[in-house]
Amino acid sequence: MTKYKKIYVLDTNVLIKDPEAIHRLGDNIIVIPIIVIQELESFKNESELRGASARKALRIIDEYRSQGSLSQGVFTKTNGQLIVDCREIEWGELSGNLKQSNDLAILLVAKRYKREKALRDIILLTEDIALRIMAASFGITVETYKNSENIKRIEELSLGTINIDVPTSCDDYLTQLSNHGHLPVDIFSLPDGMYANQCCRLKKSDGKYNL
């Protein structure tokens, strides 16, 4: 008998809890609804842990674009498949007394996969209690994302924003940053104790900031 891979539909809070959740779900199929991408985008400029997690999750997803169409699915590093589902939400599947929301959009993506992939195990991963209750009422298998490593990895994420003074002689580098999106790390004197993925504000000689 063919062993069908599980299909995991991820809620935004899973990627906030662990930006590398995609790589921890083995060789299964990971579906990220497009609304999740939009929510990560709305969080990415925050200076605390949620913003750092959102930035890292978006970078990981973006790295897979070079492999092909995310909407069609690309292979992950763990021999799974990553799909960004950007199809129109079927709001008509809801009863008339329910208001449209991001949570319900994610639930409806899981519901569509349950209908289309009847032989597969469709699992909605979420940390949201209310969404778990609603998913269960729709007959969708729902689980809380569990990862024993996420607490150990807190220090890998930015815990806030730091300021870096940019000498007048280096103002031109900020133009380079704007044009190319990156700079060599040896241009500025970086403070001790920085974290990977730390959000930095570069303070120019005129007192203005570039994030």
Side-chain angles (χ1 to χ4, degrees):
M1 176 181 286
T2 301
K3 180 183 178 181
Y4 291 102
K5 295 180 179 180
K6 296 177 181 179
I7 297 178
Y8 288 102
V9 179
L10 270 57
D11 190 3
T12 310
N13 49 49
V14 171
L15 291 171
I16 294 299
K17 179 178 182 180
D18 181 8
E20 294 195 32
I22 292 168
H23 299 145
R24 303 194 198 280
L25 293 172
D27 61 352
N28 295 295
I29 298 171
I30 299 99
V31 175
I32 300 180
I34 192 67
I35 194 68
V36 170
I37 302 296
Q38 291 179 320
E39 288 192 327
L40 291 173
E41 172 70 18
S42 71
F43 298 150
K44 73 176 186 180
N45 290 327
E46 295 182 8
S47 61
E48 300 303 324
L49 186 58
R50 185 170 71 169
S53 294
R55 291 192 295 275
K56 185 167 186 177
L58 287 170
R59 279 196 297 270
I60 290 172
I61 297 168
D62 184 59
E63 287 173 358
Y64 282 107
R65 286 191 304 110
S66 62
Q67 295 189 20
S69 170
L70 291 176
S71 63
Q72 296 298 316
V74 297
F75 287 107
T76 66
K77 296 176 181 178
T78 55
N79 295 318
Q81 189 178 22
L82 172 64
I83 299 171
V84 175
D85 192 300
C86 55
R87 292 178 291 176
E88 185 175 355
I89 300 298
E90 298 173 330
W91 294 110
E93 292 286 314
L94 296 176
S95 60
N97 61 339
L98 290 176
K99 295 182 179 180
Q100 295 181 8
S101 68
N102 290 353
D103 282 350
L104 286 176
I106 294 168
L107 187 152
L108 287 173
V109 170
K111 190 173 187 294
R112 175 159 48 197
Y113 275 88
K114 181 178 175 63
R115 181 179 69 247
E116 294 176 346
K117 309 290 185 181
L119 296 178
R120 304 288 185 96
D121 290 329
I122 311 300
I123 302 169
L124 173 60
L125 287 184
T126 180
E127 300 292 299
D128 189 317
I129 295 175
L131 183 53
R132 292 202 296 268
I133 294 171
M134 289 188 289
S137 70
F138 274 82
I140 297 169
T141 301
V142 59
E143 295 179 3
T144 301
Y145 176 71
K146 296 178 180 179
N147 170 34
S148 60
E149 296 183 32
N150 68 306
I151 296 177
K152 299 175 184 177
R153 296 176 53 260
I154 284 292
E155 67 274 7
E156 296 178 13
L157 298 174
S158 168
L159 299 181
T161 301
I162 62 170
N163 297 327
I164 298 176
D165 290 324
V166 180
T168 303
S169 59
C170 294
D171 276 1
D172 289 344
Y173 284 117
L174 297 180
T175 302
Q176 179 182 334
L177 175 63
S178 177
N179 291 337
H180 302 289
H182 60 84
L183 285 174
V185 295
D186 57 354
I187 291 178
F188 310 118
S189 297
L190 301 179
D192 295 331
M194 286 186 64
Y195 294 98
N197 307 307
Q198 185 115 29
C199 181
C200 302
R201 292 197 306 172
L202 304 181
K203 185 177 180 182
K204 300 194 298 181
S205 57
D206 60 5
K208 296 181 179 179
Y209 285 95
N210 278 22
L211 188 61

